[in-house]
Amino acid sequence: MTEQSPPSAEYRIEDLAHISGTSVRTIRAYQDRGLLPKPERRGRANVYGDEHLERLRRTADLLDRGYTLASIKELLEAWDTGRGLGGVLGLVAEIDGPWSDEEAARITREELDAAFGGSPDEEALADAVELGVLERLPGSDDVFRVPSPRELAVAAELHSAGVPLTAISGHLRELRGQVEHIAARFLDFTTEYVFHPYLDHQPTEAEATEAAGLVRRLRPLAQQTVDAELARAMRTMATRYIHHHLGDISNVNNNSGTAPHPASTSTSATGTGTGSTAPEADLAPAGAPAATAADTADADADADADADATMIALPAEAIRAVRDLVGQEHVAAFITAATRREVHARTMDELAARRTPPR
């Protein structure tokens, strides 16, 4: 006795719309576009089956993945001709998968308020939800999903350091636009040199599987590149910021006209000395030879430069650190060389900043 397969289900269009989670109007539109096979006609009624239900669910899944209706029609036609969708859907799943090893978390409203100073801020909460930093959970007003706990932790740390929440939200919006530009450039780059052979035609099963493997290999490269370049840029820019602001402070101190602090030490391009009445001769190393005629000639040749020398107050601890590093006899030369090096570096920075980028 042969086993018979169960009869397939039959649906009216209203029933099919209800079961598939779509509308009667959408089903008819799909039929007009060729996305859905025509129903069986029985008298004056149209009868749909499981194949129609499966096609509607597959179409909805592809729409959620970002496919257009035209692309979905091509994919479904490939499925109908027996070429299969396994490789293509595998590629889509690889692209749609997480691009970070970070796992989402949940946070209560009480925990959120505590992390940001203890005071509820409805405007900041609305900003966080709009930006996707927090996601509301259905049926709960007091628990949120956190797609990136690291990003939320950064915001909390910045706020605890004194950054207003509105400034953090504004910074994130600006940063997101810049990062999306970087992501688009990386995709353009990899498309041109890696994925172009797979995109100029409908990929076969094998090609789609191969492309999915390439996505898996290249996925971490974008973040690794950005991490390395961000570290380099932060080091460079932070150094320039420090030099710039320390220079401003130094200029203010030098132009203030105040007398040197008793605990400080004065130095010039030609020598060092304490701010007290101790003679400069005491700074020379014991047993140092007397000045020679050549020394005198060099001094005469530099007379004009020496005339412009300015006594600058330096902290005593700074002088001691230099003396411990190079010895008493080289203190003046070291400070002079360091000053010249800093002036040269700033000159180079100014020239680089004035350079007009090529068009």
Side-chain angles (χ1 to χ4, degrees), residues 238-254:
T239 300
R240 291 180 183 176
Y241 268 64
I242 290 296
H243 285 178
H244 174 73
H245 289 291
L246 287 182
D248 289 346
I249 294 172
S250 179
N251 290 335
V252 170
N253 290 338
N254 292 340

PDB file of all heavy atoms in Angstrom, residues 238-254:
ATOM      1  N   ALA A 238      47.464  65.160  18.889  1.00  0.00           N
ATOM      2  CA  ALA A 238      47.605  65.457  20.318  1.00  0.00           C
ATOM      3  C   ALA A 238      48.939  66.140  20.595  1.00  0.00           C
ATOM      4  O   ALA A 238      49.022  67.076  21.397  1.00  0.00           O
ATOM      5  CB  ALA A 238      47.480  64.169  21.139  1.00  0.00           C
ATOM      6  N   THR A 239      50.003  65.696  19.930  1.00  0.00           N
ATOM      7  CA  THR A 239      51.317  66.330  20.107  1.00  0.00           C
ATOM      8  C   THR A 239      51.269  67.780  19.660  1.00  0.00           C
ATOM      9  O   THR A 239      51.787  68.679  20.338  1.00  0.00           O
ATOM     10  CB  THR A 239      52.380  65.565  19.301  1.00  0.00           C
ATOM     11  OG1 THR A 239      52.430  64.217  19.761  1.00  0.00           O
ATOM     12  CG2 THR A 239      53.746  66.202  19.465  1.00  0.00           C
ATOM     13  N   ARG A 240      50.626  68.040  18.512  1.00  0.00           N
ATOM     14  CA  ARG A 240      50.516  69.417  18.036  1.00  0.00           C
ATOM     15  C   ARG A 240      49.686  70.265  18.982  1.00  0.00           C
ATOM     16  O   ARG A 240      50.010  71.426  19.249  1.00  0.00           O
ATOM     17  CB  ARG A 240      49.895  69.430  16.640  1.00  0.00           C
ATOM     18  CG  ARG A 240      50.800  68.857  15.561  1.00  0.00           C
ATOM     19  CD  ARG A 240      50.121  68.913  14.205  1.00  0.00           C
ATOM     20  NE  ARG A 240      50.961  68.302  13.173  1.00  0.00           N
ATOM     21  CZ  ARG A 240      50.588  68.145  11.908  1.00  0.00           C
ATOM     22  NH1 ARG A 240      49.383  68.534  11.538  1.00  0.00           N
ATOM     23  NH2 ARG A 240      51.405  67.602  11.028  1.00  0.00           N
ATOM     24  N   TYR A 241      48.593  69.703  19.506  1.00  0.00           N
ATOM     25  CA  TYR A 241      47.763  70.448  20.437  1.00  0.00           C
ATOM     26  C   TYR A 241      48.553  70.835  21.681  1.00  0.00           C
ATOM     27  O   TYR A 241      48.477  71.966  22.162  1.00  0.00           O
ATOM     28  CB  TYR A 241      46.539  69.606  20.840  1.00  0.00           C
ATOM     29  CG  TYR A 241      45.327  69.836  19.979  1.00  0.00           C
ATOM     30  CD1 TYR A 241      45.333  69.519  18.624  1.00  0.00           C
ATOM     31  CD2 TYR A 241      44.148  70.373  20.508  1.00  0.00           C
ATOM     32  CE1 TYR A 241      44.221  69.704  17.825  1.00  0.00           C
ATOM     33  CE2 TYR A 241      43.032  70.571  19.715  1.00  0.00           C
ATOM     34  CZ  TYR A 241      43.075  70.237  18.374  1.00  0.00           C
ATOM     35  OH  TYR A 241      41.974  70.438  17.589  1.00  0.00           O
ATOM     36  N   ILE A 242      49.302  69.883  22.220  1.00  0.00           N
ATOM     37  CA  ILE A 242      50.087  70.154  23.433  1.00  0.00           C
ATOM     38  C   ILE A 242      51.109  71.237  23.161  1.00  0.00           C
ATOM     39  O   ILE A 242      51.259  72.192  23.938  1.00  0.00           O
ATOM     40  CB  ILE A 242      50.769  68.862  23.922  1.00  0.00           C
ATOM     41  CG1 ILE A 242      49.717  67.886  24.478  1.00  0.00           C
ATOM     42  CG2 ILE A 242      51.807  69.177  24.989  1.00  0.00           C
ATOM     43  CD1 ILE A 242      48.993  68.402  25.704  1.00  0.00           C
ATOM     44  N   HIS A 243      51.842  71.121  22.068  1.00  0.00           N
ATOM     45  CA  HIS A 243      52.850  72.130  21.734  1.00  0.00           C
ATOM     46  C   HIS A 243      52.211  73.502  21.559  1.00  0.00           C
ATOM     47  O   HIS A 243      52.740  74.511  22.019  1.00  0.00           O
ATOM     48  CB  HIS A 243      53.574  71.734  20.447  1.00  0.00           C
ATOM     49  CG  HIS A 243      54.554  70.623  20.647  1.00  0.00           C
ATOM     50  ND1 HIS A 243      55.282  70.075  19.617  1.00  0.00           N
ATOM     51  CD2 HIS A 243      54.929  69.948  21.753  1.00  0.00           C
ATOM     52  CE1 HIS A 243      56.059  69.111  20.087  1.00  0.00           C
ATOM     53  NE2 HIS A 243      55.848  69.015  21.381  1.00  0.00           N
ATOM     54  N   HIS A 244      51.067  73.529  20.886  1.00  0.00           N
ATOM     55  CA  HIS A 244      50.392  74.800  20.638  1.00  0.00           C
ATOM     56  C   HIS A 244      49.961  75.463  21.943  1.00  0.00           C
ATOM     57  O   HIS A 244      50.227  76.647  22.172  1.00  0.00           O
ATOM     58  CB  HIS A 244      49.184  74.568  19.738  1.00  0.00           C
ATOM     59  CG  HIS A 244      48.335  75.792  19.538  1.00  0.00           C
ATOM     60  ND1 HIS A 244      48.735  76.841  18.748  1.00  0.00           N
ATOM     61  CD2 HIS A 244      47.120  76.125  20.051  1.00  0.00           C
ATOM     62  CE1 HIS A 244      47.797  77.788  18.772  1.00  0.00           C
ATOM     63  NE2 HIS A 244      46.803  77.369  19.548  1.00  0.00           N
ATOM     64  N   HIS A 245      49.311  74.697  22.816  1.00  0.00           N
ATOM     65  CA  HIS A 245      48.791  75.284  24.049  1.00  0.00           C
ATOM     66  C   HIS A 245      49.906  75.606  25.034  1.00  0.00           C
ATOM     67  O   HIS A 245      49.837  76.616  25.734  1.00  0.00           O
ATOM     68  CB  HIS A 245      47.752  74.359  24.682  1.00  0.00           C
ATOM     69  CG  HIS A 245      46.467  74.312  23.912  1.00  0.00           C
ATOM     70  ND1 HIS A 245      45.612  75.375  23.833  1.00  0.00           N
ATOM     71  CD2 HIS A 245      45.900  73.327  23.156  1.00  0.00           C
ATOM     72  CE1 HIS A 245      44.568  75.069  23.080  1.00  0.00           C
ATOM     73  NE2 HIS A 245      44.720  73.827  22.656  1.00  0.00           N
ATOM     74  N   LEU A 246      50.945  74.769  25.083  1.00  0.00           N
ATOM     75  CA  LEU A 246      52.074  75.101  25.944  1.00  0.00           C
ATOM     76  C   LEU A 246      52.781  76.354  25.442  1.00  0.00           C
ATOM     77  O   LEU A 246      53.268  77.166  26.218  1.00  0.00           O
ATOM     78  CB  LEU A 246      53.057  73.933  26.002  1.00  0.00           C
ATOM     79  CG  LEU A 246      52.591  72.719  26.815  1.00  0.00           C
ATOM     80  CD1 LEU A 246      53.678  71.656  26.822  1.00  0.00           C
ATOM     81  CD2 LEU A 246      52.244  73.109  28.249  1.00  0.00           C
ATOM     82  N   GLY A 247      52.825  76.503  24.115  1.00  0.00           N
ATOM     83  CA  GLY A 247      53.416  77.714  23.562  1.00  0.00           C
ATOM     84  C   GLY A 247      52.627  78.938  23.946  1.00  0.00           C
ATOM     85  O   GLY A 247      53.203  79.987  24.270  1.00  0.00           O
ATOM     86  N   ASP A 248      51.296  78.852  23.939  1.00  0.00           N
ATOM     87  CA  ASP A 248      50.459  79.984  24.340  1.00  0.00           C
ATOM     88  C   ASP A 248      50.702  80.345  25.791  1.00  0.00           C
ATOM     89  O   ASP A 248      50.813  81.518  26.152  1.00  0.00           O
ATOM     90  CB  ASP A 248      48.982  79.645  24.136  1.00  0.00           C
ATOM     91  CG  ASP A 248      48.611  79.596  22.658  1.00  0.00           C
ATOM     92  OD1 ASP A 248      49.413  80.079  21.841  1.00  0.00           O
ATOM     93  OD2 ASP A 248      47.540  79.055  22.334  1.00  0.00           O
ATOM     94  N   ILE A 249      50.809  79.313  26.649  1.00  0.00           N
ATOM     95  CA  ILE A 249      51.051  79.569  28.070  1.00  0.00           C
ATOM     96  C   ILE A 249      52.404  80.227  28.265  1.00  0.00           C
ATOM     97  O   ILE A 249      52.575  81.171  29.038  1.00  0.00           O
ATOM     98  CB  ILE A 249      50.958  78.252  28.861  1.00  0.00           C
ATOM     99  CG1 ILE A 249      49.524  77.717  28.809  1.00  0.00           C
ATOM    100  CG2 ILE A 249      51.386  78.453  30.304  1.00  0.00           C
ATOM    101  CD1 ILE A 249      49.374  76.336  29.399  1.00  0.00           C
ATOM    102  N   SER A 250      53.411  79.728  27.533  1.00  0.00           N
ATOM    103  CA  SER A 250      54.754  80.286  27.653  1.00  0.00           C
ATOM    104  C   SER A 250      54.774  81.737  27.216  1.00  0.00           C
ATOM    105  O   SER A 250      55.402  82.578  27.839  1.00  0.00           O
ATOM    106  CB  SER A 250      55.733  79.462  26.815  1.00  0.00           C
ATOM    107  OG  SER A 250      57.034  79.992  26.894  1.00  0.00           O
ATOM    108  N   ASN A 251      54.049  82.053  26.125  1.00  0.00           N
ATOM    109  CA  ASN A 251      54.013  83.431  25.649  1.00  0.00           C
ATOM    110  C   ASN A 251      53.357  84.350  26.662  1.00  0.00           C
ATOM    111  O   ASN A 251      53.798  85.476  26.877  1.00  0.00           O
ATOM    112  CB  ASN A 251      53.259  83.510  24.327  1.00  0.00           C
ATOM    113  CG  ASN A 251      54.036  82.870  23.192  1.00  0.00           C
ATOM    114  OD1 ASN A 251      55.267  82.779  23.254  1.00  0.00           O
ATOM    115  ND2 ASN A 251      53.325  82.431  22.150  1.00  0.00           N
ATOM    116  N   VAL A 252      52.295  83.858  27.316  1.00  0.00           N
ATOM    117  CA  VAL A 252      51.630  84.677  28.332  1.00  0.00           C
ATOM    118  C   VAL A 252      52.569  84.946  29.493  1.00  0.00           C
ATOM    119  O   VAL A 252      52.684  86.068  29.991  1.00  0.00           O
ATOM    120  CB  VAL A 252      50.349  83.974  28.823  1.00  0.00           C
ATOM    121  CG1 VAL A 252      49.783  84.692  30.036  1.00  0.00           C
ATOM    122  CG2 VAL A 252      49.323  83.947  27.709  1.00  0.00           C
ATOM    123  N   ASN A 253      53.286  83.916  29.935  1.00  0.00           N
ATOM    124  CA  ASN A 253      54.210  84.091  31.054  1.00  0.00           C
ATOM    125  C   ASN A 253      55.343  85.046  30.705  1.00  0.00           C
ATOM    126  O   ASN A 253      55.757  85.875  31.510  1.00  0.00           O
ATOM    127  CB  ASN A 253      54.781  82.739  31.473  1.00  0.00           C
ATOM    128  CG  ASN A 253      53.742  81.855  32.126  1.00  0.00           C
ATOM    129  OD1 ASN A 253      52.740  82.352  32.637  1.00  0.00           O
ATOM    130  ND2 ASN A 253      53.967  80.545  32.122  1.00  0.00           N
ATOM    131  N   ASN A 254      55.858  84.927  29.484  1.00  0.00           N
ATOM    132  CA  ASN A 254      56.987  85.769  29.088  1.00  0.00           C
ATOM    133  C   ASN A 254      56.591  87.224  28.920  1.00  0.00           C
ATOM    134  O   ASN A 254      57.411  88.117  29.079  1.00  0.00           O
ATOM    135  CB  ASN A 254      57.582  85.260  27.767  1.00  0.00           C
ATOM    136  CG  ASN A 254      58.253  83.903  27.934  1.00  0.00           C
ATOM    137  OD1 ASN A 254      58.600  83.514  29.036  1.00  0.00           O
ATOM    138  ND2 ASN A 254      58.419  83.190  26.827  1.00  0.00           N
TER     139      ASN A 254
END
